[in-house]
Amino acid sequence: MPVPLRRFLTAALAALLVAVPGSLSAQESRPLRPGEVLSGTLEASSVHDYAVAVEARMFVLGRANQASVDVVLTILDPSGEEVATFDASPRGPDTFQFESEEAGTFIVRVTPFEEEVGDYSVELLRVEPVAPDPQGKVDQ
């Protein structure tokens, strides 16, 4: 590729990333720890990522409180693959859960349903080893 064309494309991509925040730019994840409640405000095309660092074979349970926006919760594994999506109700609490097969940082991605706008909060309720027996799994 000729140098002037490469420079033009690089400048155009940089302008696009500045003009459309949250669309293609790399977003920094906020750490989410048990006992913390983190709040956010979603715009129509917002993507909010929360990082959950866990060991292998852990059970994670969390909740989003949809104060004035219906959120979709997507769980991404450490390689960035989607492992689950949760969207049970338009307001109030929606829970999410997953089990880690491997140690690493999972992402809880919060996006608005149908480009709504509004406020929400998210928290981790439990991070504990996966139960070894059927009764413990039912409890989790």
Side-chain angles (χ1 to χ4, degrees), residues 49-72:
D49 286 349
Y50 297 91
V52 180
V54 295
E55 298 299 319
R57 304 287 303 143
M58 297 298 283
F59 171 78
V60 177
L61 174 67
R63 171 176 53 213
N65 183 25
Q66 305 168 109
S68 61
V69 63
D70 184 4
V71 302
V72 177

Side-chain angles (χ1 to χ4, degrees), residues 52-58 77-79 99-106:
V52 180
V54 295
E55 298 299 319
R57 304 287 303 143
M58 297 298 283
D77 70 13
S79 67
E99 293 181 8
S100 63
E101 294 297 321
E102 60 187 87
T105 301
F106 286 73

